[in-house]
Amino acid sequence: MLRLQKLTKTYKTGDQALKAIDLEVPKGQVLALIGPSGAGKSTMIRCVNRLVEPTSGGVLLDDVDLTKLGSGALRKARREMGMIFQEYALVERLTVMENVLSGRLGYLGFWRSFLRRYPQSDVDEAFRLLDRVGLLHMADKRADELSGGQRQRVGICRALIQNPKLLLVDEPTASLDPKTSRQIMRLITELCQERGLAAIINIHDVALAQMFVPRVVGLRFGEIVYDGLPTGLTPEKLTEIYGEEDWEATIEKVDEDEDVEAAE
Amino acid sequence: MPILERDDAQIWRRRTTGQSLVRWFGWLLGVAIFVYCWQLISKSTTWFFVWDAPRIANDIWTRATPPKWGYITQLGRPIWDTLNIATLGTIIALFLAVPVAFLAARNTTPSALFIRPIALLVIVSTRSINSLIWALLLIAIIGPGVFAGVIAIAIRSIGFCAKLLYEAIEEIDHTQVEAITATGASRWQVMAYGIVPQILPAFAGIAVFRWDINIRESTVLGLVGAGGIGLQLSASLNVLAWPQVSLILIVILVAVMISEWVSAKVRGAII
């Protein structure tokens, strides 16, 4: 469904963030993108919806090359891709409901959105989503009154109300505590399953990725150095991705974590 | 930050010897210039007037007190004009400053090469000329009266408001803008949802702050004939009616205090 073809990004400073990335994501598959800071993970998902303009190569979403679209067509294409951010990126001074409904902006004219006159169907869907993530009672609160985990749930609702085919998720758990991180990851993967969504999840925490995701892609210096099952991440592979370190503890932790999960 | 090795110990000094010498010499030069200037000023001062000053001040003080309280009946209308000049001028300035600020901010300007310099020029040129001078110019163009005062205040305030506002726009959190863009929102929607909510507190703060300043500025506009309480002030000064002058100054003081109180309350409520 999503295909990256020789996707390359060179920043003005001359840094090559992505070096001819080829990647295919089938419909409904959730994959985790791991790699050290500066490996190009964020750049890659931002190149998909062109928050960052790729230098060359193609991004094919259902056989439409997003890199060739004009601004109007790009807006339509962006509606198909929901995005979730590390620091939640909610508009702090708007209410939870407004934040969720802002996911529908791509479908609405300026004045209707400015006057907050959303179609009833959108409002119904917003309430349904908030109920699904357990934040229905918070609908009228301002976004900056929420805790980190709650904000990320609102961020998820905003992405899902777009009715996307694909989720682009940038470090969803990096600002959250371990327990909330798990809940958020579980929520994202569950929702993807319910709706048959594909997702690319950037994530620092290897153990967390291994717990929730069926496919892991490892990025190093803008190149894919690993693509396979989470169980295939041996210490040698992790060394190849991140560099020399004692990896045994990281991998062992997975089993312990699952025990904790079961106990909860 | 030099570190000297001496007897196995590492001695840390804030500056190297050279840097200290340069600084010492700089201070010496500064003091020398100050003393020289003091002499120049002293030479061209008529010291008789300076020694005389306390006596004259005392003389004016006795003439000005007590204020002529009955005169207050004639001040209601002028102070109302002054308030209106400040308020209307601020509102007009804000309407004009918002687009200028968006054109001047690096992250929202349509063209950093052509439009941004023009917007910055508007900001600098309106800011650099005092409202009293604007009033003088405008009185020549549109004639004396309150309207000239309103326009003078408005023009003077554009640059001030636009500068503070564009700095606020440049400091917004970019990820919120990214998030709205990623939903497929149009340029204007990104502005309304991603940018405007973030700068609204700054905008309100700037508006009341400038209104507060404008009340003070508009009290003197009358001195050049642009309406408001300054007209009464200059008329009273011209006929040396000191008790009236002191009453006018008290009225201005009260008006400014009220405006400061209001703006402090409003800013407190927003932030």
Side-chain angles (χ1 to χ4, degrees):
Chain A
M1 186 200 60
L2 178 75
R3 207 158 69 234
L4 309 185
Q5 289 175 332
K6 303 240 169 299
L7 189 67
T8 304
K9 173 68 191 177
T10 313
Y11 282 107
K12 273 185 211 145
T13 52
D15 296 331
Q16 256 207 330
L18 297 175
K19 297 169 188 161
I21 297 279
D22 284 302
L23 185 70
E24 176 142 17
V25 186
K27 189 171 159 32
Q29 188 185 61
V30 177
L31 79 82
L33 197 59
I34 63 169
S37 306
K41 306 191 298 291
S42 272
T43 306
M44 195 180 113
I45 64 167
R46 279 175 167 73
C47 277
V48 172
N49 64 1
R50 279 175 61 189
L51 287 179
V52 171
E53 283 297 331
T55 313
S56 67
V59 177
L60 276 72
L61 183 69
D62 288 338
D63 298 321
V64 180
D65 190 348
L66 302 181
T67 58
K68 303 226 163 32
L69 298 179
S71 65
L74 176 63
R75 284 185 54 203
K76 286 212 171 62
R78 276 178 178 158
R79 305 192 306 206
E80 323 252 271
M81 297 177 285
M83 192 158 176
I84 297 169
F85 294 81
Q86 172 179 353
E87 299 278 357
Y88 331 119
L90 301 182
V91 183
E92 302 273 313
R93 295 182 59 85
L94 297 184
T95 63
V96 166
M97 193 62 182
E98 283 175 305
N99 268 294
V100 175
L101 285 170
S102 69
R104 297 299 292 178
L105 286 176
Y107 297 88
L108 225 61
F110 174 76
W111 286 109
R112 288 196 72 176
S113 62
F114 184 73
L115 300 168
R116 310 292 194 262
R117 296 172 69 91
Y118 288 88
Q120 189 56 40
S121 57
D122 289 358
V123 178
D124 291 341
E125 177 66 8
F127 278 126
R128 236 191 330 271
L129 282 165
L130 282 174
D131 193 25
R132 172 67 182 81
V133 301
L135 286 179
L136 196 53
H137 58 293
M138 294 291 205
D140 229 12
K141 285 260 195 311
R142 235 171 69 165
D144 51 9
E145 293 174 51
L146 271 56
S147 71
Q150 291 172 329
R151 288 187 204 199
Q152 194 55 291
R153 281 162 214 261
V154 176
I156 293 169
C157 290
R158 175 174 64 189
L160 288 178
I161 204 171
Q162 286 177 232
N163 207 5
K165 294 174 188 160
L166 171 70
L167 282 185
L168 302 168
V169 191
D170 191 15
E171 304 280 6
T173 62
S175 329
L176 300 174
D177 66 64
K179 182 170 178 220
T180 317
S181 297
R182 268 146 233 233
Q183 291 169 338
I184 290 291
M185 278 301 282
R186 188 176 307 115
L187 184 64
I188 291 174
T189 44
E190 271 176 17
L191 285 165
C192 284
Q193 255 169 22
E194 279 171 29
R195 295 165 168 250
L197 293 180
I200 301 177
I201 305 179
N202 277 356
I203 191 158
H204 266 311
D205 191 335
V206 178
L208 201 61
Q210 287 174 310
M211 251 155 63
F212 288 104
V213 165
R215 179 183 173 195
V216 175
V217 172
L219 216 56
R220 180 175 203 191
F221 300 138
E223 283 169 318
I224 292 179
V225 291
Y226 179 84
D227 185 353
L229 296 173
T231 46
L233 280 172
T234 56
E236 294 77 46
K237 283 287 171 199
L238 285 172
T239 301
E240 199 186 336
I241 300 170
Y242 287 96
E244 196 66 53
E245 184 50 71
D246 177 13
W247 295 109
E248 294 299 335
T250 310
I251 295 170
E252 269 171 32
K253 210 172 87 195
V254 178
D255 310 321
E256 286 167 27
D257 286 340
E258 265 159 357
D259 295 340
V260 174
E261 289 300 310
E264 265 176 26
Chain B
M1 300 277 169
I3 293 168
L4 312 171
E5 294 267 7
R6 198 182 298 157
D7 306 337
D8 285 346
Q10 288 191 311
I11 297 166
W12 179 83
R13 294 259 184 284
R14 189 172 172 196
R15 299 192 178 89
T16 61
T17 321
Q19 283 172 329
S20 312
L21 270 176
V22 167
R23 294 196 144 239
W24 189 83
F25 187 71
W27 278 103
L28 187 72
L29 205 67
V31 171
I33 291 172
F34 179 79
V35 170
Y36 177 67
C37 292
W38 183 273
Q39 281 182 324
L40 275 190
I41 294 167
S42 177
K43 253 180 243 163
S44 53
T45 306
T46 315
W47 285 102
F48 172 72
F49 286 138
V50 179
W51 304 131
D52 197 31
R55 200 180 57 79
I56 302 287
N58 190 41
D59 185 38
I60 291 180
W61 175 254
T62 45
R63 282 167 204 254
T65 49
K68 189 178 164 192
W69 296 110
Y71 186 56
I72 194 117
T73 49
Q74 291 178 53
L75 291 183
R77 177 80 206 187
I79 194 77
W80 175 244
D81 281 350
T82 298
L83 285 175
N84 281 338
I85 291 172
T87 311
L88 282 175
T90 311
I91 290 171
I92 295 172
L94 288 172
F95 268 106
L96 297 171
V98 168
V100 173
F102 273 99
L103 296 178
R106 238 181 235 105
N107 47 354
T108 53
T109 185
S111 154
L113 214 58
F114 300 106
I115 295 175
R116 184 161 186 267
I118 295 174
L120 290 179
L121 184 71
V122 169
I123 291 173
V124 170
S125 57
T126 54
R127 252 160 66 86
S128 59
I129 300 173
N130 193 288
S131 52
L132 214 54
I133 300 169
W134 277 119
L136 274 174
L137 283 173
L138 287 161
I139 284 165
I141 299 167
I142 51 182
V146 175
F147 185 58
V150 171
I151 303 296
I153 289 286
I155 294 177
R156 171 76 172 91
S157 309
I158 292 173
F160 178 92
C161 297
K163 183 175 169 61
L164 290 181
L165 197 58
Y166 99 70
E167 280 168 1
I169 296 172
E170 284 184 350
E171 277 166 23
I172 58 171
D173 174 12
H174 184 62
T175 55
Q176 297 180 29
V177 179
E178 260 192 334
I180 298 296
T181 314
T183 64
S186 68
R187 221 186 147 87
W188 290 101
Q189 285 174 325
V190 171
M191 211 173 263
Y193 273 76
I195 299 174
V196 169
Q198 292 196 59
I199 59 166
L200 221 46
F203 178 79
I206 293 164
V208 287
F209 185 30
R210 188 64 222 187
W211 176 74
D212 182 19
I213 295 172
N214 282 346
I215 289 200
R216 272 170 274 161
E217 292 215 335
S218 58
T219 53
V220 295
L221 285 182
L223 290 178
V224 296
I229 200 161
L231 274 177
Q232 252 64 25
L233 184 62
S234 76
S236 301
L237 278 171
N238 284 341
V239 298
L240 301 177
W242 295 109
Q244 292 184 18
V245 172
S246 59
L247 182 71
I248 292 169
L249 293 182
I250 290 169
V251 168
I252 291 175
L253 183 74
V254 170
V256 169
M257 269 164 52
I258 291 172
S259 78
E260 283 202 8
W261 180 78
V262 169
S263 69
K265 282 282 158 201
V266 171
R267 260 180 288 169
I270 300 159
I271 305 159

